[in-house]
Amino acid sequence: MTLIDTNVLLDLVTNDSVWADWSIRQLDAASLGGPLAIDDVVYAELSVRFNTIEALDAVLDDADVTMEVIPRPALFLAAKVFRRYRVAGGQRTGVLPDFFIGAHAAVTGFSLLTRDARRFRAYFPTIELITP
C-alpha cells in the first residue's frame, strides 16, 4: 500500500503547472503496486480546497484512494518524533501533520508518496519514500 502525502493530491486538484504531471505519473505507478490511501490528517489538509465533503470524496473515489485510520502506535511515535524535533530546535508548537503522516507510514510499513521528503527522511529514515 502507498500512503499519499497531501501535496501530491493538491497538485492534481489545483492542476499545478510544475508538479501535476509528475504527481499523476507517480500515482499511476504506485497504483500498479497496490492500493493507494490517505489518512485523517491528509483528508483534513486536503478538505481546505473543497466546499463539500461530497466533492472531496468524489475526487478521492475517482483516484481510487481509500482512507486508512492512523494506528495508535503511529500517534505515539509522532509525539516522540515531535519531541526530538523540538529538542533539536524546531519552532512549531503543535505536532506537525508530517509527523502523523510519517509515523503512519513507519508503523504500517506503507510506502509514502511525497514531493517534500526532507522532514520524512530526517525523522523517519526507515520508510520507503517515493519522491522526485
Side-chain angles (χ1 to χ4, degrees):
M1 182 166 296
T2 301
L3 193 62
I4 306 165
D5 195 8
T6 310
N7 54 36
V8 173
L9 293 171
L10 283 174
D11 292 344
L12 303 179
V13 170
T14 64
N15 196 25
D16 185 276
S17 61
V18 175
W19 290 105
D21 288 340
W22 180 86
S23 292
I24 290 167
R25 285 193 312 275
Q26 295 307 312
L27 284 167
D28 287 345
S31 71
L32 296 175
L36 303 175
I38 62 170
D39 59 27
D40 307 19
V41 172
V42 173
Y43 189 93
E45 288 183 322
L46 192 57
S47 70
V48 171
R49 292 287 183 163
F50 293 86
N51 292 326
T52 66
I53 291 171
E54 294 80 10
L56 172 53
D57 288 348
V59 167
L60 295 174
D61 287 344
D62 287 347
D64 203 21
V65 174
T66 62
M67 291 282 299
E68 290 288 321
V69 174
I70 301 174
R72 279 190 346 196
L75 298 171
F76 188 85
L77 176 59
K80 298 306 174 196
V81 169
F82 175 69
R83 185 170 65 190
R84 280 188 25 226
Y85 168 80
R86 293 289 294 154
V87 166
Q91 298 301 310
R92 298 208 181 166
T93 58
V95 177
L96 298 172
D98 286 352
F99 291 156
F100 287 117
I101 297 164
H104 188 172
V107 165
T108 59
F110 295 165
S111 299
L112 178 61
L113 174 57
T114 184
R115 57 178 174 74
D116 184 18
R118 180 182 47 85
R119 190 171 295 123
F120 296 117
R121 281 195 180 109
Y123 290 95
F124 302 99
T126 62
I127 62 177
E128 177 188 347
L129 294 173
I130 303 166
T131 63

